[in-house]
Amino acid sequence: LFVPDFIKHLTARTDFLEFNMIPVLIIELIIAALGEEIAWRAFFQKKISKILPFVPALIISSALFSICHFNQGNSIVVIYDLLFVFINAIFYGIIFKKTDNAFISTIAHFLANLFGTVAIMFL
């Protein structure tokens, strides 16, 4: 029922993406995923994991990652968006933990962003 509002919310949160320029879009998605993985998993999650066990460190870093993706809008849509980002961040954090390689988690992050962007373009 709230898909149109959710799509509008996502496009507002990702207004730097230009759907009509696919090569530039792909480069933007790669740079965004790489930067976020280096900052949030390779740095932040790794630092917290030195102080706390892995699971609390993963939850804290994923929650903060989600909060950084906050954008105003319909509360249900915003909560759904933040929950979806949180779940994805959990997956990226697990991938990073298992591989200890930010490039591998970047590939997962990029593919998820690309899939989401393509899905929005066709909705």
Side-chain angles (χ1 to χ4, degrees):
L1 294 174
F2 60 87
V3 169
D5 289 339
F6 184 68
I7 292 170
K8 188 186 307 180
H9 175 78
L10 285 181
T11 54
R13 185 167 59 80
T14 57
D15 61 354
F16 65 95
L17 301 175
E18 297 184 21
F19 298 115
N20 60 341
M21 297 173 36
I22 299 298
V24 174
L25 172 63
I26 290 172
I27 292 169
E28 288 177 346
L29 291 174
I30 291 170
I31 291 170
L34 178 62
E36 289 180 341
E37 290 306 308
I38 289 172
W40 288 101
R41 260 54 81 184
F43 178 76
F44 197 65
Q45 179 178 310
K46 206 169 202 176
K47 293 290 184 186
I48 295 175
S49 292
K50 291 179 181 179
I51 301 167
L52 298 172
F54 171 67
V55 172
L58 176 64
I59 291 170
I60 291 169
S61 65
S62 297
L64 292 172
F65 179 78
S66 299
I67 291 168
C68 287
H69 285 79
F70 174 82
N71 194 28
Q72 292 182 335
N74 177 314
S75 356
I76 294 171
V77 172
V78 170
I79 290 168
Y80 179 79
D81 183 31
L82 293 178
L83 180 63
F84 187 71
V85 171
F86 177 77
I87 291 168
N88 279 306
I90 293 288
F91 285 127
Y92 306 146
I94 291 169
I95 291 169
F96 178 75
K97 170 72 172 167
K98 297 276 185 192
T99 63
D100 196 32
N101 188 327
F103 291 109
I104 302 298
S105 60
T106 296
I107 291 169
H109 193 150
F110 164 73
L111 291 173
N113 286 350
L114 182 64
F115 176 78
T117 303
V118 169
I120 288 171
M121 289 170 67
F122 287 106
L123 289 177

